[in-house]
Amino acid sequence: MSRKRVAILISGGGSNMVALAKDMRDANHPAKPVLVVSNTANVGGLTKAADLGIPAAHVDHRPFKGDRQAFEKKLQEVLLAAKPDIICLAGFMRVLTPEFVAPWRGKMLNIHPSILPLFPGLHTHQRTLDAGMTVQGCTVHQVTGDLDAGPILGQAIIPVLPGDTAETLAARLLPFEHQLYPQVLRKFASGDTSKITLFGDQP
Ligand code: GAR
């Protein structure tokens, strides 16, 4: 069976993109990376993609300020040219409209740094601390027109430790993001949408 073509959307450092791409180096992986796109030029993730031998592009959102439709049209063109079967949002920090997402329904994944449906949106670690939570985590889910709300495919959970700040929580969670997302993509690309749960980092 031919390997599914994966496009990965990033906005910055791209560490989740690297975790996905490295896992896809396995010749038995049901998917392969065909494109990395950033909404900002000159981010570390683009350099890392090039180092990994993956075609990398950017569609800068700033020249389209005030015209989200035009930005998304350009982004859609770039994506369609790569003929992806699956799109992974990996630290992609632009909100995509329901119109953009609709054609990719059932084919687009996202990783979000909270235990969804808790804390969609931004500043998830600070909001977790402010709520007095004893656990934090990340979620990989299918993307729908509603922000951070599609069907959940996997979650990793870590404890909140005494003295944790938003920064220490984010740093301790990231390695679990790097475990969870590749595991979910592997299953998803082979047509398996059963859920994955990881528990980590016990004190
Ligand atoms: C990750 O923690 C990811 O979960 C988060 O941004 C970071 C990107 O890091 N995503 C979101 O907040 C999406 N709303 P990376 O660029 O090193 O993968």
Side-chain angles (χ1 to χ4, degrees), residues 41-195:
N42 303 319
V43 291
L46 288 175
T47 314
K48 290 173 194 162
D51 290 347
L52 287 159
I54 308 167
H58 68 270
V59 179
D60 195 332
H61 66 275
R62 283 167 300 187
F64 297 100
K65 191 167 167 27
D67 191 352
R68 187 180 292 268
Q69 221 183 348
F71 165 67
E72 290 193 342
K73 184 167 180 284
K74 181 69 190 165
L75 184 60
Q76 200 75 280
E77 281 169 16
V78 170
L79 281 174
L80 285 169
K83 297 184 171 48
D85 301 301
I86 297 171
I87 296 175
C88 290
L89 309 183
F92 186 68
M93 301 306 283
R94 305 301 296 175
V95 173
L96 295 168
T97 63
E99 293 71 31
F100 181 91
V101 166
W104 301 109
R105 195 171 179 116
K107 299 176 176 181
M108 187 182 274
L109 308 182
N110 179 44
I111 186 157
H112 181 75
S114 82
I115 306 170
L116 289 173
L118 295 172
F119 313 122
L122 298 174
H123 310 300
T124 55
H125 302 298
Q126 191 56 52
R127 288 158 65 204
T128 294
L129 292 170
D130 292 347
M133 298 279 293
T134 66
V135 287
Q136 167 61 319
C138 55
T139 304
V140 178
H141 64 95
Q142 295 194 48
V143 175
T144 64
D146 297 318
L147 182 68
D148 300 329
I152 290 169
L153 294 168
Q155 294 186 307
I157 312 292
I158 63 169
V160 175
L161 302 179
D164 257 336
T165 63
E167 290 72 30
T168 60
L169 255 187
R172 279 194 300 112
L173 183 64
L174 200 57
F176 293 96
E177 298 190 34
H178 298 163
Q179 286 181 36
L180 179 69
Y181 209 173
Q183 287 187 31
V184 171
L185 177 62
R186 241 179 213 263
K187 285 179 82 165
F188 186 78
S190 64
D192 181 352
T193 52
S194 60
K195 296 178 203 282

